[in-house]
């Protein structure tokens, strides 16, 4: 669980969560107001797509028209049904990845950005480190479970804060 807010100290002290890991950061000072196992490595699941979109937007214009690469029809489980050769605006793939949690849109953005999943994972990890998410490692753009694919509540909070600087995301 990640939250970025500016509550009063009394409000921060009354938070009750069932999550095994959680972080509450002050949005202005980035001070940790609440933490439960903030540096425990866990599967980030679909929150991975936020970093995927940030990396894609660092390299691709929202108004760029792109052709869907081969193999997207095999991506599972959450998808919008992309097929090789179809054309889309990058903005529509971003919306699909973030709003519909479409794994095929995330995978397409990765390949269109870096040429391969592996190269895109390198870009994701570089981006994560550049924003202070030092205890994460990303293997894929969708967040599907994979050996070595992990993040922490604190790192996800850092990623969320960085995402708030992307006008199209907020």
């Amino acid at each position: 669980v990640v939250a970025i807010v500016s509550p009063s100290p009394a409000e921060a002290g009354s938070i009750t969560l069932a999550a095994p890991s959680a972080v509450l950061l002050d949005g202005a000072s980035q001070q940790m107001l609440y933490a439960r196992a903030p540096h425990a490595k866990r599967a980030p699941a679909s929150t991975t797509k936020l970093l995927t979109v940030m990396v894609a937007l660092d390299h691709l214009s929202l108004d760029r028209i792109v052709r869907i690469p081969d193999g997207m029809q095999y991506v599972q489980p959450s998808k919008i049904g992309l097929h090789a050769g179809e054309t889309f605006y990058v903005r529509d793939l971003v919306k699909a990845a973030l709003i519909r949690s479409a794994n095929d849109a995330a995978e397409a953005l990765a390949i269109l950005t870096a040429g391969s999943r592996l190269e895109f994972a390198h870009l994701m990890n570089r981006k994560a480190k550049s924003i202070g998410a030092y205890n994460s490692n990303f293997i894929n753009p969708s967040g599907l479970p994979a050996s070595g694919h992990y993040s922490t509540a604190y790192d996800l909070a850092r990623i969320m804060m960085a995402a708030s600087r992307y006008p199209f995301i907020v």
Side-chain angles (χ1 to χ4, degrees):
V1 173
V2 176
I4 304 167
V5 296
S6 294
S8 70
E11 290 171 320
S14 65
I15 296 171
T16 303
L17 297 173
S21 293
V23 169
L24 177 65
L25 295 180
D26 181 289
S29 70
Q30 299 184 19
Q31 178 184 2
M32 206 175 324
L33 302 173
Y34 175 88
R36 176 184 297 154
H39 303 293
K41 294 177 181 175
R42 304 199 184 280
S46 284
T47 57
T48 299
K49 291 183 184 82
L50 193 55
L51 183 61
T52 294
V53 165
M54 291 165 53
V55 171
L57 292 179
D58 288 347
H59 294 87
L60 303 172
S61 162
L62 286 167
D63 296 321
R64 181 174 169 187
I65 297 173
V66 294
R67 188 170 307 282
I68 301 302
D70 289 335
M72 295 305 108
Q73 68 272 22
Y74 303 113
V75 175
Q76 295 293 330
S78 170
K79 60 185 184 173
I80 59 169
L82 297 177
H83 294 283
E86 292 178 318
T87 57
F88 286 87
Y89 283 100
V90 167
R91 77 175 53 250
D92 294 328
L93 293 175
V94 165
K95 288 178 187 176
L98 293 179
I99 297 169
R100 300 270 315 268
S101 194
N103 292 339
D104 54 353
E107 294 280 347
L109 285 168
I111 292 169
L112 292 164
T113 299
S116 72
R117 282 176 104 215
L118 179 62
E119 285 305 311
F120 191 76
H122 291 308
L123 292 176
M124 291 176 76
N125 289 310
R126 211 169 325 164
K127 178 71 169 182
K129 304 278 185 283
S130 77
I131 57 180
Y134 298 112
N135 295 306
S136 296
N137 191 60
F138 296 92
I139 301 294
N140 65 64
S142 64
L144 288 175
S147 177
H149 188 90
Y150 57 84
S151 190
T152 68
Y154 180 79
D155 283 5
L156 289 174
R158 301 289 303 176
I159 291 166
M160 302 267 176
M161 289 177 72
S164 72
R165 294 190 293 270
Y166 287 74
F168 191 73
I169 293 175
V170 293

